[in-house]
Amino acid sequence: MDKLKNIAVLIDAENAQPSTIKEFLKKISSYGYIGVKQAFADWSKPTAKNWDAQCKALSINRVMQGSEVKGKNAVDIALVVEAMDLLNKNHFDGF
């Protein structure tokens, strides 16, 4: 596979495990340059605190997405909207 010029990594931090992200980013970087690293979650929730150290250590931008309505996929929707925005601007050729 050819190297990609610019990759965006958008993480659903409410469903992904922070302990796996370092190895995950290492693998992705073998395909090209990671230009954006964002983790989406409701950072006010206690379960999101597990991500603090990894976000700081790996320079992952935390994106706050509150859960105004219980049971809705606010994080998923925010992540997709961000992906579409980045894709629409043609800044990235890999996600």
Side-chain angles (χ1 to χ4, degrees), residues 4 28 30 32 56 63 78-79:
L4 300 173
I28 291 174
S30 71
K56 290 175 185 172
V63 178
L79 194 147

Side-chain angles (χ1 to χ4, degrees), residues 26-59:
K26 183 179 177 184
K27 178 66 174 174
I28 291 174
S29 67
S30 71
Y31 294 105
Y33 173 74
I34 300 175
V36 165
K37 293 181 278 188
Q38 295 179 337
F40 293 75
D42 182 344
W43 298 105
S44 65
K45 290 184 177 179
T47 54
K49 299 297 180 209
N50 297 334
W51 276 91
D52 284 343
Q54 291 292 5
C55 287
K56 290 175 185 172
L58 300 170
S59 300

Side-chain angles (χ1 to χ4, degrees), residues 7-26 28 34 36-43 48 51 54-56 58-65 74-80 82-83 86 95:
I7 301 170
V9 177
L10 306 177
I11 304 161
D12 180 346
E14 292 185 343
N15 290 309
Q17 296 298 317
S19 60
T20 64
I21 195 64
K22 185 174 182 178
E23 198 60 35
F24 179 73
L25 291 173
K26 183 179 177 184
I28 291 174
I34 300 175
V36 165
K37 293 181 278 188
Q38 295 179 337
F40 293 75
D42 182 344
W43 298 105
W51 276 91
Q54 291 292 5
C55 287
K56 290 175 185 172
L58 300 170
S59 300
I60 298 171
N61 183 37
R62 298 184 323 156
V63 178
M64 173 64 175
Q65 183 57 50
V75 167
D76 298 328
I77 294 167
L79 194 147
V80 170
E82 179 68 10
L86 292 171
F95 288 84

